[in-house]
Structure formats: structure tokens, C-alpha cells
């Protein structure tokens, strides 16, 4: 079961941002998407998470067209960390984390236990009780990453582990080196739970070191793929 964009074309307004682009997010592996600014990387992530619909080609999860899945089913399938997570209201960090939790009567996972573990892993305990808008850009990014982990946490608490996907659009933006390593390390660790990870990065050396596969996007076209390619 993979999350797959196949020969997708996307136009935003009068501009074509993706042309015949294909990308596959594979369970238990990390795929890095790299390329210059304006290459269409964020647009491809938006297609994979169902935020926009391609003008041509297809997006599927396990062979099932993504548009056939309901909003709740898609939310259980994947979590997303965008470049900029704007908040209209000044929520507390605790409330932002709770937004990621999707209750499931069939799942024994307890939110309090899951939240405690995720907060510890992401090292954001000192941010609890603070207003989200008072945080620095890096602190907000760490909170959003923790929220994304909680969204798919129900499958990480024992029993059979279903395939899930973590889509990260420049998750290391605004992070210092220590937190950059922490976030990428935690993202890598989720692959042990049969999760597929897609991460957008600007640093090709980091992508080659961190990911199982690297895809290079230039002007909306996949120009090269795999870390064995010489960029």
C-alpha cells in the first residue's frame, strides 16, 4: 500500500506548477523531495494530502483514488506538517496538540498517555500552558510536528500496525541544529511502525543522508530520482 501521485498535472490560476509529475511514498521508508524555490514541491504535497485535485493524472492510496476517501478517513491515513501553520485564534499549545487527536472507539489508545509520550519525545514540555502565538517559529514547528504525530498515534500503541503516512513540508525550517536532528530522527523512527514518510528539504546532502529515496523537482517536473543520482 503506497501513497502515490502518478503523472499529475496541476494549474493554479493561469500558471502550471506541475507537469506529468510522479512520486510514491512507500511504507517503512523515507522519501525526500528536493528542488529550488518555486519548483512545485509544496503543491505536490498538497496533492498527496488531498488539499487540491490534479488537472491530470491521479493520486491514490493503496490503489484507491484519494478523492473517494472521506475527510475523516484521509485524516486517519496521513498527517501533515505544512511550512506555515497559521492559527486564526490564539490557542494554548495544549489545545493545538489536542486538535491532532482523532477519537476512535475501536482503539484502546488513551490521549493523555499518548500526549505525555509525544510531548516528551518532541521535548516541548516547557511549552505547555503557553499561547501558540507567543512561540518562536521554531517552537511552533515543533508543536505542529507533535500534533502530527498524535494524529497517527492510534496506530503506534500496540496490536497490528496499519500503514500510515507522515507528510512534512520543510519541517526543519526555523529549527536550530539540535531540534532539526530531533525532528528528522523522530520522523525516521516512525518508519519502524510501517509508516511512510515524505519530507521536503532544501539541503540535498541532508536528504541523501536521511532518506531512502530522493526525488528532484525542477519547474514542476521530476528531473531525477534516487540518492544514487548525481545532482
Amino acid at each position: 500500500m503506497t501513497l502515490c501521485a502518478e503523472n499529475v498535472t496541476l494549474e493554479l490560476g493561469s500558471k502550471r506548477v506541475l507537469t506529468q509529475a510522479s512520486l510514491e511514498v512507500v511504507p517503512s521508508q523515507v522519501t525526500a523531495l528536493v528542488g529550488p524555490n518555486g519548483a512545485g514541491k509544496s503543491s505536490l504535497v498538497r496533492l498527496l494530502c488531498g488539499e487540491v485535485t490534479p488537472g491530470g493524472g491521479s493520486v491514490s492510496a493503496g490503489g484507491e483514488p484519494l478523492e473517494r476517501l472521506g475527510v475523516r478517513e484521509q485524516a486517519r491515513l496521513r498527517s501533515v506538517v505544512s511550512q506555515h501553520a497559521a492559527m486564526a485564534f490564539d490557542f494554548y499549545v495544549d489545545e493545538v496538540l489536542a486538535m491532532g487527536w482523532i477519537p476512535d472507539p475501536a482503539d484502546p489508545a488513551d490521549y493523555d498517555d499518548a500526549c505525555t509520550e509525544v510531548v516528551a519525545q518532541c521535548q516541548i514540555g516547557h511549552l505547555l500552558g503557553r499561547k501558540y502565538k507567543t512561540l518562536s517559529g521554531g517552537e511552533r514547528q515543533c508543536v505542529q510536528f507533535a500534533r502530527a504525530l498524535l494524529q497517527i498515534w492510534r496506530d503506534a500503541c500496540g496490536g497490528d500496525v496499519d500503514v500510515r503516512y507522515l507528510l512534512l513540508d520543510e519541517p526543519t525550517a526555523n529549527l536550530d541544529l539540535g531540534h532539526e536532528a530531533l525532528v528528522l530522527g523522530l520522523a525516521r523512527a516512525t518508519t519502524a511502525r510501517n509508516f511512510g514518510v515524505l519530507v521536503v528539504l532544501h539541503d540535498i546532502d541532508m536528504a541523501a543522508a536521511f532518506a531512502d529515496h530522493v526525488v528532484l523537482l525542477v519547474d514542476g517536473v521530476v528531473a531525477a530520482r534516487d540518492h544514487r543520482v548525481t545532482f
Side-chain angles (χ1 to χ4, degrees):
M1 181 177 179
T2 64
L3 182 62
C4 180
E6 186 173 2
N7 296 322
V8 292
T9 298
L10 179 67
E11 294 184 358
L12 297 177
S14 59
K15 181 181 179 181
R16 174 169 288 193
V17 294
L18 292 171
T19 303
Q20 298 289 302
S22 296
L23 184 146
E24 188 174 36
V25 187
V26 181
S28 301
Q29 296 185 16
V30 177
T31 299
L33 181 61
V34 301
N37 291 333
K41 301 185 299 296
S42 293
S43 295
L44 189 49
V45 173
R46 292 175 66 195
L47 280 174
L48 287 166
C49 71
E51 186 178 333
V52 293
T53 303
S58 62
V59 180
S60 61
E64 181 78 9
L66 198 62
E67 64 269 18
R68 293 184 185 175
L69 303 179
V71 173
R72 190 177 183 85
E73 191 173 356
Q74 288 190 38
R76 292 191 186 284
L77 179 69
R78 86 293 179 271
S79 58
V80 185
V81 177
S82 302
Q83 288 186 51
H84 308 290
M87 288 282 177
F89 301 100
D90 197 8
F91 293 103
Y92 286 98
V93 168
D94 313 57
E95 295 172 321
V96 174
L97 294 177
M99 292 176 188
W101 189 256
I102 304 175
D104 185 350
D107 194 317
D110 178 77
Y111 173 74
D112 290 337
D113 290 341
C115 188
T116 297
E117 186 166 349
V118 168
V119 165
Q121 287 184 347
C122 296
Q123 301 179 12
I124 59 171
H126 62 293
L127 302 179
L128 299 179
R130 288 183 57 182
K131 290 291 188 72
Y132 184 78
K133 288 187 177 181
T134 69
L135 306 182
S136 68
E139 289 171 333
R140 293 183 186 187
Q141 197 75 350
C142 287
V143 169
Q144 288 296 335
F145 181 76
R147 185 268 311 156
L149 288 182
L150 278 169
Q151 183 176 326
I152 55 178
W153 193 256
R154 69 185 188 90
D155 296 309
C157 300
D160 294 332
V161 178
D162 294 329
V163 174
R164 290 294 182 269
Y165 301 97
L166 186 61
L167 309 180
L168 308 172
D169 191 355
E170 297 191 36
T172 59
N174 301 312
L175 297 183
D176 58 35
L177 291 176
H179 285 90
E180 184 177 273
L182 173 67
V183 166
L184 291 180
L186 288 172
R188 178 85 226 182
T190 65
T191 61
R193 301 170 183 151
N194 207 27
F195 294 162
V197 178
L198 173 67
V199 57
V200 175
L201 294 170
H202 275 293
D203 189 325
I204 293 179
D205 289 334
M206 179 187 295
F210 169 70
D212 298 292
H213 305 284
V214 178
V215 176
L216 174 65
L217 195 66
V218 179
D219 293 331
V221 177
V222 173
R225 62 180 71 242
D226 207 310
H227 63 271
R228 291 183 294 273
V229 176
T230 300
F231 295 104

